[in-house]
Amino acid sequence: MELFEKISEKYENKRIKRDCKALMKKCSAKSSRDMNTLVELIDLMYIYQDFEMAVELYHIIEKVEFTGNYTIYDEILYAKWTIVRIYRETNQTEKYEQLLNSVMEYENEALYDNRKAGLKLYDEHIRNARDLKAKQSMIGWMLVKYKIMIKCFENPKFPIDKIQLDKEIVEMEMKLKNIL
């Protein structure tokens, strides 16, 4: 809980403060809402280049094992992909390779086409929310797409133009920073 207070004090961003406040009240690895909020906070720390805080947040769920609830564990896997990216970008090769091997166990190549289609579908959701002037919904869809783009980029087997995808990730980060 102390970590959430520390982050809340460090950032003026309302969404970060909201997430920290919710997690200070309750942060259970058995709650899909809590895991979604925690993973969003990890992603926000990554967007703001606060890798140290992102990794500290990840340590909260690092040892959580799959118990049959995909809704919860998918969120944990998204967090792991963000940390894979941080380890790669900060040249922590051993940690990178270890975590990458861990998350690759959950990848299913048969679902790659669906994931590509999903990325396009998220664009439609973002556009619709923007057109409806539903800012919070738009941000939510942007964050969902963002974490999936990171997962697709960091998966060495995912068949996509990595240069173009990395460009899209950077653009999404800039958009999110401006909107948040």
Side-chain angles (χ1 to χ4, degrees):
M1 300 305 164
E2 194 176 291
L3 179 58
F4 303 129
E5 290 172 11
K6 185 177 172 182
I7 293 169
S8 185
E9 289 172 7
K10 185 175 180 178
Y11 290 92
E12 292 302 315
N13 180 290
K14 289 179 184 177
R15 195 166 188 112
I16 290 173
K17 286 190 178 295
R18 182 200 71 192
D19 287 352
C20 287
K21 184 178 178 182
L23 292 167
M24 281 188 265
K25 288 181 183 174
K26 179 178 163 272
C27 181
S28 169
K30 295 179 180 181
S31 164
S32 59
R33 178 175 284 192
D34 293 350
M35 288 303 95
N36 185 280
T37 303
L38 182 60
V39 171
E40 179 175 294
L41 192 55
I42 290 169
D43 288 338
L44 291 171
M45 292 299 97
Y46 177 77
I47 288 168
Y48 286 99
Q49 302 291 293
D50 195 338
F51 300 157
E52 185 178 322
M53 287 294 182
V55 172
E56 278 190 60
L57 289 166
Y58 166 68
H59 288 314
I60 295 169
I61 55 173
E62 176 178 34
K63 302 273 190 233
V64 173
E65 303 229 351
F66 179 65
T67 60
N69 188 329
Y70 289 98
T71 306
I72 291 171
Y73 207 71
D74 280 349
E75 289 300 322
I76 292 168
L77 288 172
Y78 286 128
K80 289 178 183 243
W81 281 110
T82 300
I83 302 306
V84 163
R85 187 171 180 89
I86 289 171
Y87 288 158
R88 181 183 55 76
E89 290 180 345
T90 57
N91 297 315
Q92 296 181 56
T93 309
E94 190 174 312
K95 289 180 179 180
Y96 164 79
E97 289 174 2
Q98 184 179 14
L99 191 54
L100 178 63
N101 289 335
S102 165
V103 291
M104 285 301 291
E105 291 176 20
Y106 295 93
E107 284 297 285
N108 181 346
E109 291 181 30
L111 299 176
Y112 289 169
D113 286 339
N114 290 346
R115 196 167 300 140
K116 280 184 183 179
L119 287 171
K120 290 182 176 128
L121 186 60
Y122 293 127
D123 284 333
E124 188 176 317
H125 291 310
I126 292 166
R127 221 176 1 265
N128 288 340
R130 185 187 62 233
D131 292 347
L132 293 170
K133 297 185 181 7
K135 183 178 177 183
Q136 293 309 311
S137 179
M138 182 179 74
I139 292 169
W141 284 115
M142 290 170 76
L143 286 166
V144 168
K145 182 179 181 189
Y146 180 72
K147 68 184 173 186
I148 293 172
M149 287 191 304
I150 287 175
K151 177 179 180 170
C152 294
F153 182 89
E154 295 303 328
N155 178 339
K157 294 182 179 180
F158 194 81
I160 198 166
D161 180 346
K162 301 286 185 170
I163 293 170
Q164 178 60 35
L165 183 58
D166 195 45
K167 212 161 107 178
E168 289 177 37
I169 290 170
V170 170
E171 287 172 8
M172 183 68 79
E173 287 171 359
M174 289 189 301
K175 287 177 185 175
L176 284 164
K177 279 182 186 176
N178 287 334
I179 248 177
L180 295 170

